[in-house]
Amino acid sequence: VAFALLSVAYALVAVGAYGRCGDHTPTYLLDVLPHGGSTRIVAVLMFIHIVVSYTISSQVLTRAIMLICGCTAGLEPGVRGRGLWFTFTTSIAIFAMVLSNAIPLFDDFVAIIGALLSSNLAFVFPTALFLVYGRKVGVGRISRFTCFVVMATGAMFCVCGTFSTIAQTIQDAGRGGGHPFACNALY
C-alpha cells in the first residue's frame, strides 16, 4: 500500500510540475521556489530531512560493517562499545563526505546509482522474492500476474531512468562539469 501511495504522489508531483513548467521543468523541483525566505526555510527543512535520513541509514550500515568485520564489541553496552561505535560512525561520515566531494559531477553519479537501484530495490527484488516464497506456499494466478506486471514496470523504470541519467551525465560533462572539492554555490 505504501509503495502505491508513494508512486501516486510522485506521479502527481511530476505531472503537475511538467504541466506547469513544460520543457522548462527544473531537474531539482525546489528550484521553482522564488529566491528569498521561502527558499531558506525549505533548505533548512531539507537539511533536517537529510540529517535524519543519513542518521537512520548510517546506524544500519555501521552495524552491518561491524558484524562483517567481526567487531561485535562495538555493539555491546558500555564505554568501550560506545567508543568503538563512535569511531566507526565518525569514520563512515568522514569517508562519505570525502567521497561526495572528491567525485566531480557527484549529483550525476548519485542519479545513476539511484536509477540503477531504486526501482529494483523497491519493486523488482521484493516481488521476485515473494514469487520464490510463493512457490512454497502457493500464490494465485492473479497475484503472480500482478507480480510480473510490477517487476516489468520496475525494470522499465530502471532502464529508462538509467539511460536518461547517463545521457544527462554526458551532457553535464560536456559543459565542463565540476572539479573535486570545488564549491559550486547555487545562490
Side-chain angles (χ1 to χ4, degrees), residues 109-183:
F109 176 68
V110 170
I112 290 171
I113 291 172
L116 279 171
L117 298 177
S118 292
S119 62
N120 288 327
L121 291 173
F123 298 107
V124 177
F125 296 151
T127 308
L129 292 172
F130 175 76
L131 286 173
V132 170
Y133 175 73
R135 286 184 185 168
K136 294 179 182 178
V137 296
V139 175
R141 286 184 181 181
I142 293 175
S143 293
R144 273 194 310 238
F145 175 76
T146 305
C147 286
F148 284 115
V149 168
V150 168
M151 288 172 56
T153 304
M156 180 195 68
F157 286 151
C158 176
V159 170
C160 293
T162 302
F163 176 78
S164 173
T165 55
I166 289 173
Q168 183 66 43
T169 301
I170 292 169
Q171 187 178 24
D172 291 346
R175 289 191 212 131
H179 303 287
F181 299 97
C183 179

Side-chain angles (χ1 to χ4, degrees), residues 45-114:
L45 293 174
M46 189 69 114
F47 174 76
I48 292 168
H49 167 71
I50 289 170
V51 166
V52 170
S53 297
Y54 179 81
T55 301
I56 292 169
S57 298
S58 73
Q59 301 306 307
V60 175
L61 178 65
T62 301
R63 185 175 191 285
I65 290 173
M66 286 182 144
L67 289 173
I68 289 169
C69 293
C71 184
T72 57
L75 304 174
E76 297 171 2
V79 175
R80 182 169 183 250
R82 290 178 188 222
L84 283 169
W85 185 268
F86 174 78
T87 302
F88 270 76
T89 55
T90 304
S91 300
I92 291 168
I94 291 170
F95 175 75
M97 189 224 32
V98 169
L99 181 67
S100 67
N101 285 294
I103 298 174
L105 303 173
F106 186 74
D107 53 341
D108 290 326
F109 176 68
V110 170
I112 290 171
I113 291 172

